[in-house]
């Protein structure tokens, strides 16, 4: 069994994260009026993760973004090594389920 420092653990985790699709419900949605970036929580019944949709990607999303909608998000999970926290950097959103 390898013994890793915290820095090595975070670097390893960041390396393993790649673009995937994630299913969940939008919660805590806000759009920064100045930057145009959208911030929200993507959650399911047991967990949640912070997410950001930058202005250039947000302008290409055709669905109305609001709290409570179920989506499938194409995103890369990014890790801020210093803090050991991660968020999804969303590149595309599609409706999930009814109304998709």
């Amino acid at each position: 069994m390898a013994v890793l420092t915290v820095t090595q653990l975070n670097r390893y985790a960041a390396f393993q994260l790649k673009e995937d699709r994630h299913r969940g419900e939008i919660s805590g949605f806000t759009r920064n009026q100045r930057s145009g970036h959208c911030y929200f929580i993507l959650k399911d019944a047991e967990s949640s993760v912070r997410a950001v949709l930058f202005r250039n990607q947000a302008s290409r999303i055709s669905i109305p973004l609001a709290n409570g909608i179920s989506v499938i998000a194409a995103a890369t999970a990014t890790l801020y090594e210093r803090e050991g926290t991660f968020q999804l950097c969303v590149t595309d959103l599609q409706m999930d389920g009814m109304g998709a």
Side-chain angles (χ1 to χ4, degrees):
M1 174 169 55
V3 177
L4 303 175
T5 67
V6 173
T7 299
Q8 290 170 325
L9 171 65
N10 287 344
R11 284 185 182 152
Y12 175 76
F15 177 76
Q16 293 298 316
L17 300 172
K18 59 180 175 43
E19 181 159 302
D20 279 322
R21 295 208 171 281
H22 310 277
R23 171 178 281 137
E25 178 182 309
I26 291 177
S27 175
F29 178 82
T30 60
R31 183 184 307 260
N32 184 295
Q33 295 303 317
R34 201 176 81 197
S35 69
H37 303 329
C38 300
Y39 301 93
F40 55 94
I41 305 288
L42 192 63
K43 66 180 187 173
D44 62 20
E46 298 178 23
S47 298
S48 64
V49 63
R50 293 178 189 262
V52 60
L53 179 65
F54 293 114
R55 178 184 59 212
N56 55 346
Q57 284 89 9
S59 66
R60 292 184 257 152
I61 302 298
S62 61
I63 62 173
L65 300 177
N67 291 323
I69 64 168
S70 293
V71 295
I72 297 174
T76 300
T78 58
L79 180 77
Y80 181 49
E81 290 181 28
R82 182 175 164 199
E83 298 292 327
T85 59
F86 73 98
Q87 69 177 4
L88 296 179
C89 289
V90 177
T91 57
D92 188 36
L93 284 173
Q94 300 173 354
M95 295 290 288
D96 184 27
M98 295 282 292

